[in-house]
Amino acid sequence: MKKKHILIVEDERIVSADIKMSLQRFGYAVSGTAVSGEEAIKKAEKLRPDLVLMDIVLKDKMDGIEAATLISSRFDIPVVYLTAHADDKTLERAKITDPFGYLLKPFDDKDLHTTVEMALYKHKMGKNLKESEERYRTLFEESRDAIYIVSQEGKIVDFNQSMLDLFGYTREEMQGMDLSKIYVNTDDRKKHKEKMEKRGFVKDYELKLHNKNGKEMNCLLTCAVRRASDGNISGYQGSIHDITARKRAEQVSIKAKNRAEKALRQLRKVQTRLIQSERLAALGELSAGVAHEINNPLHIISGHAQILLMDGGLDSEIEETLKIVEKQVERASRITDQLINFSKRTEPEIKELDINEALNNTFVLLKHQLAQDNIKIVKQLYSEPVYLHADPAQLQQVFLNLITNASQSMPEGGTLTISTCVRDSDVEINFTDKGCGIPRKNLNRLFEPFFSTKEKGAGLGLSIIYGIIQAHEGSIKVKSKVGEGTTFTIKLPVRKRAIK
Amino acid sequence: MARILVVDDEQEVCDMLKKFLTKRGHGVYTALNGEEALSIVKEERPHIVLLDIRMPIMSGMECLKLIREIDKEVGVIMITAVKEEEIGKQALELGAFDYITKPLSLKYLEDCLMVKLLQMTA
């Protein structure tokens, strides 16, 4: 270990030499001796000893206390006083200089050794403490988070530069300021204070704070209780992390995510619709094939029945039976006709027509039937004529089927609202009933041929409608809630009216 | 009374029509495809051809064209499996006398034959 260097300031040379010898015996190096205050200061500056042994009473005008004050403040060198007589006044003066020890003359070697060691140790500790304080002060000052210490009453007693930067106050304004001034919601403070007093700290407590200009910020507060040596709360220390930007970025990303999810949902919906329409198209093909295949045997059965009937002279029971056969063949053949309709084999006969007029024509046809069934039609038609290119007979079939379905869903009677409106280049026709509604599981299969929940009926009505609307380059959709009602929405492209 | 050729790819259909027409006193030939039908038209010169539209290999429409090339006078009645206005119209344009949808009404067929035969003898 490096020898500790000591400067001896003593105007009596014999004493000085004696001390020097003692020190050297204990393993210290004596870097020099001085006899006056001025000399002491010069040598302290030049030699930079680890300790100064300072006689208080010196012959010169500058006494030891004065010299020690200068040495310890200028060069940060610990001083131990040597004194023979200590009157209270002198001791009082010496005390102020914060000396590292006193040696009362006469002292023995042991006293000298102990006092010097203690002084060196105290100084080293003090230095360490100062250094560590400086280190923490630097951390505190340079932290990008705002850090503060408040008294128990909530007055700000210490804070760093980030605290000033974040809240926009001057150093003078912030010193002693009530911390509640930075809260948007003073309730927040109460809440986290309660928590903190129970647990001793809060971590990443999210809250809104505002700066001097009232600008709100999203912040995370981490805060801990400070306790005095008696264990009572003396105040609080906290750090504030501004997450406004992060929050905004989060919101942006949430928004983007939502948008992406929405797009995905739409895509799935379209996909479902595509699959559904693919399936319906495939079913259409199949139906047409089946219809053809069935028509031939029907043709043969009915032919034979007709031959027998035409010949006459049959037993009346046989004749009756053959007539039933004929009738049922006719029925089967009507079904195959409808199947072929659904498969769009029948091209629409396109004419220019006004959708409102077409609807009104249908209402006229159904007037008596609807009155009988206690169905009230509420019309909300577009204020002007809307022209389409469509097959009037086929559209009428669509309207008739939808209105009949709606009225069947309201066996006790009710209101059926029919509206038309123009959206972009389409006309939308809505049929809304307050009927029994369609269970979710049935919605997807609604347009399939032979899908029926009615006791009577082949289950072709809606599939024919689907086929017709497809042939008109339109679309049909259904929304329904059990017990609330059903809305069918047909979209058909609007045509500019031909100039005649 | 008249020589009638029935063309349908299904034997049972041919049989049924043959039975009916024979009972009505007509001479009936049957053919299961277009090619057979053409050779009968060439050799037997029937007055009337009942011709199915939907047939494999040679369709009824094709067959109709070729029959008309052989014999401009023969009365061709097209029989379609399903009501297809467009095809019916085409058939008439190609010189068919009428077209009837399956399952056909024999009464209608009888009337139709009568009209055509009267036209031909007039």
Side-chain angles (χ1 to χ4, degrees), chain B residues 45-76:
Chain B
R45 295 282 161 172
H47 300 103
I48 304 279
V49 179
L50 299 183
L51 181 55
D52 187 26
I53 288 183
R54 245 197 188 215
M55 285 191 298
I57 311 168
M58 187 190 292
S59 79
M61 298 296 267
E62 245 174 283
C63 191
L64 168 63
K65 271 189 238 169
L66 297 171
I67 290 173
R68 297 285 298 168
E69 276 173 25
I70 298 164
D71 187 348
K72 276 262 178 280
E73 300 300 311
V74 68
V76 181

Side-chain angles (χ1 to χ4, degrees), chain A residues 45-82:
Chain A
E45 188 178 6
K46 197 176 149 207
L47 303 168
R48 298 281 166 163
D50 297 302
L51 182 80
V52 177
L53 288 177
M54 176 76 77
D55 189 10
I56 289 178
V57 184
L58 294 172
K59 275 176 190 145
D60 252 330
K61 50 191 166 188
M62 185 191 279
D63 75 355
I65 294 173
E66 238 181 302
T69 309
L70 274 166
I71 288 168
S72 77
S73 70
R74 259 191 222 169
F75 315 122
D76 188 28
I77 297 169
V79 176
V80 169
Y81 289 120
L82 307 170

Side-chain angles (χ1 to χ4, degrees), chain A residues 134-146:
Chain A
E134 263 164 24
R135 250 195 330 266
Y136 284 112
R137 189 77 212 173
T138 310
L139 272 178
F140 177 79
E141 275 304 334
E142 290 180 359
S143 164
R144 286 169 67 184
D145 284 344

Side-chain angles (χ1 to χ4, degrees), chain A residues 333-484:
Chain A
S333 120
R334 265 202 308 279
I335 294 173
T336 56
D337 268 0
Q338 284 174 327
L339 269 178
I340 283 151
N341 253 338
F342 161 69
S343 72
K344 296 182 287 178
R345 291 284 155 138
T346 321
E347 288 293 317
E349 264 182 60
I350 298 296
K351 281 182 185 140
E352 188 180 73
L353 58 87
D354 166 19
I355 194 74
N356 291 341
E357 200 188 317
L359 279 166
N360 279 323
N361 289 342
T362 312
F363 299 150
V364 171
L365 276 182
L366 287 168
K367 212 170 146 191
H368 291 286
Q369 186 61 47
L370 290 173
Q372 219 169 30
D373 296 341
N374 199 17
I375 303 290
K376 201 183 147 215
I377 300 259
V378 175
K379 289 190 275 185
Q380 294 171 347
L381 303 184
Y382 194 69
S383 54
E384 286 166 44
V386 185
Y387 291 99
L388 310 175
H389 286 180
D391 183 323
Q394 288 191 354
L395 273 197
Q396 189 155 73
Q397 194 185 353
V398 169
F399 300 156
L400 280 171
N401 276 357
L402 286 178
I403 295 171
T404 311
N405 281 350
S407 109
Q408 283 171 356
S409 79
M410 301 184 282
E412 308 294 318
T415 308
L416 169 61
T417 308
I418 298 172
S419 65
T420 53
C421 61
V422 175
R423 214 162 278 190
D424 301 323
S425 56
D426 290 329
V427 62
E428 231 182 67
I429 313 147
N430 294 296
F431 296 79
T432 305
D433 66 54
K434 300 266 173 243
C436 53
I438 302 161
R440 216 184 145 81
K441 65 177 166 72
N442 291 345
L443 280 176
N444 277 342
R445 304 192 53 200
L446 216 54
F447 297 105
E448 287 179 13
F450 300 117
F451 181 77
S452 177
T453 54
K454 293 178 198 164
E455 276 184 28
K456 275 189 174 178
L460 286 168
L462 282 173
S463 57
I464 289 167
I465 290 177
Y466 184 87
I468 292 173
I469 298 300
Q470 288 277 305
H472 283 79
E473 290 163 25
S475 68
I476 180 164
K477 272 198 279 189
V478 60
K479 261 190 193 165
S480 187
K481 214 164 186 189
V482 171
E484 284 180 24

